[in-house]
Amino acid sequence: KQEVTQIPAALSVPEGENLVLNCSFTDSAIYNLQWFRQDPGKGLTSLLLIQSSQREQTSGRLNASLDKSSGRSTLYIAASQPGDSATYLCAVPYNQGGKLIFGQGTELSVKP
Amino acid sequence: KAGVTQTPRYLIKTRGQQVTLSCSPISGHRSVSWYQQTPGQGLQFLFEYFSETQRNKGNFPGRFSGRQFSNSRSEMNVSTLELGDSALYLCASSLRTGKTYEQYFGPGTRLTVT
């Protein structure tokens, strides 16, 4: 049974810091991994999707890595800003379809 | 392209009532998935519809049901509402690219059961 874990559950950093969010999954037979951002009470915004054949994916100040063999992904945020404050979720597909298994999320607070 | 839309955005119902939520996917997307999000349980998968057929189902009681229409719009219904059904209900649409279904989420429907 696939389980997804995110550490830490919450993180508070001063503006300008570089930070790493962690995601681990128990079954390495995944097609891809997706990172999302969620602002309070809102829907999810897709940040990055990494295919199983990729090691990294970058978008602006965000860089996501994937190590299938160890069951881990990291989301690196460079030069954090207060606007980055949100909950970050990672998810893997259950099978080749539209069912995602989510981690519990990391709540990030970036202080000015 | 317009994003995923969900209606209504907010809903207040009483225990025992039933409710229907609607989701319009991104144009061209044929897969629609539904999720329930609560503070205690996080995001939990309800079901997925693809080409009007339920393709995946989560571990929710039969009070939760859904359907998809020929234009890919989807509805979910919850009958005999319970207090524990209060949650943010999110739908996502996706388009297959190779073996990948990248999901795009709507803003959600906030359901409060009193």
Side-chain angles (χ1 to χ4, degrees), chain B residues 45-63:
Chain B
F45 174 79
L46 281 155
F47 29 65
E48 179 206 5
Y49 285 87
F50 181 84
S51 294
E52 302 179 65
T53 301
Q54 188 179 86
R55 183 159 69 173
N56 280 296
K57 189 176 186 308
N59 297 321
F60 279 81
R63 300 184 297 106

Side-chain angles (χ1 to χ4, degrees), chain A residues 34-37 43-49 51 97-98 100 102, chain B residues 1-6 23-35 90-97 100-108:
Chain A
Q34 207 167 345
W35 282 94
F36 295 90
R37 167 189 173 137
L44 276 62
T45 300
S46 179
L47 297 173
L48 289 164
L49 181 144
Q51 304 281 6
L100 290 178
F102 281 87
Chain B
K1 251 184 192 179
V4 178
T5 58
Q6 292 187 245
C23 172
S24 292
I26 293 171
S27 177
H29 288 196
R30 293 165 64 191
S31 168
V32 174
S33 301
W34 288 89
Y35 297 83
L90 294 162
C91 91
S93 74
S94 55
L95 182 68
R96 178 176 173 172
T97 306
T100 296
Y101 288 81
E102 182 168 4
Q103 295 206 359
Y104 298 87
F105 281 77

